Amino acid sequence: MLRTVIYIRKSSDESTDKQIQSLERQWKDLSEFVERYNATVSAEKQLNFDPEKDIIREEFSAKGPWRPKFNTMIEKIQKKKYDILLCHELSRLSRNPIDNWTLVYILDELCILWIQTPTSIFSNTPNDKFTLSLFLNVAKFENDQRGKNTSSGMQTSKSKWGTTNKANMGYRN
């Protein structure tokens, strides 16, 4: 069995956070994925985790480095406590260059076999590490661009005496 750590994160810890279902949705999707995955592989290739210790739930933005639970998880990975890092999507892992580098580094140093999402696996091959780095940097770019566009849109709305407090589709107002 492959020792697996599962990382789920929502963007902030604000009590008024509009992503109220985010952690539960990620966990539901990942638990269903693990069940399907484990049903199709031999016992030694199954993803194995302790729900009490190996599911990391973080309510902290990934725009900057030094997230407490993320860093603790990385320390355990560097000590080779885990074989696999599983997350819902790569943007949940990082949206900043320091953590992006760290994730490629743990693969490069063979601290972990691979990083996995329900749709992709990234291992210690040049192509996988390049693709992982590229996807993580795209998440950073999208986050930065969204911030710029939101600020610009709010300024435009304010200048037209409009409101700036309507939530995006899928979020609670």
Side-chain angles (χ1 to χ4, degrees):
M1 293 196 141
L2 298 170
R3 299 166 301 163
T4 304
V5 61
I6 297 174
Y7 184 81
I8 58 177
R9 179 189 65 79
K10 69 177 186 171
S11 294
S12 69
D13 60 359
E14 297 175 17
S15 60
T16 60
D17 191 2
K18 296 174 184 169
Q19 294 185 28
I20 198 95
Q21 296 288 328
S22 182
L23 293 176
E24 292 78 12
R25 180 186 50 83
Q26 288 175 58
W27 169 239
K28 179 181 179 291
D29 291 350
L30 289 172
S31 63
E32 289 172 0
F33 167 76
V34 169
E35 188 175 320
R36 285 190 315 272
Y37 178 87
N38 284 349
T40 64
V41 297
S42 62
E44 64 269 1
K45 293 182 181 180
Q46 289 185 355
L47 304 178
N48 182 36
F49 60 93
D50 179 341
E52 299 298 318
K53 298 177 186 173
D54 301 328
I55 300 173
I56 312 299
R57 297 172 190 265
E58 190 147 54
E59 298 181 17
F60 208 94
S61 174
K63 288 189 289 188
W66 325 125
R67 287 171 282 151
K69 292 181 181 180
F70 178 84
N71 288 342
T72 299
M73 176 186 70
I74 293 296
E75 288 171 9
K76 289 179 181 179
I77 289 170
Q78 288 175 321
K79 292 176 183 173
K80 300 189 178 186
K81 180 175 178 175
Y82 299 110
D83 300 310
I84 310 299
L85 167 55
L86 176 63
C87 63
H88 190 264
E89 58 185 53
L90 293 178
S91 68
R92 300 294 86 205
L93 287 175
S94 177
R95 293 179 184 263
N96 71 78
I98 292 172
D99 292 342
N100 292 358
W101 177 86
T102 300
L103 291 163
V104 173
Y105 178 78
I106 62 173
L107 286 172
D108 206 34
E109 292 298 309
L110 301 174
C111 298
I112 197 161
L113 295 175
W114 66 74
I115 296 171
Q116 183 163 0
T117 69
T119 58
S120 302
I121 294 176
F122 303 93
S123 63
N124 185 28
T125 67
N127 281 342
D128 282 358
K129 290 184 291 186
F130 172 77
T131 305
L132 173 66
S133 179
L134 182 65
F135 287 170
L136 292 169
N137 283 301
V138 166
K140 163 98 175 108
F141 170 77
E142 287 176 342
N143 191 70
D144 290 352
Q145 193 65 39
R146 185 179 311 113
K148 182 178 180 226
N149 291 345
T150 299
S151 177
S152 174
M154 288 175 70
Q155 293 304 319
T156 301
S157 185
K158 284 180 184 177
S159 71
K160 295 179 181 178
W161 297 95
T163 182
T164 60
N165 63 350
K166 185 169 181 171
N168 292 335
M169 176 83 89
Y171 291 84
R172 184 173 57 189
N173 278 313

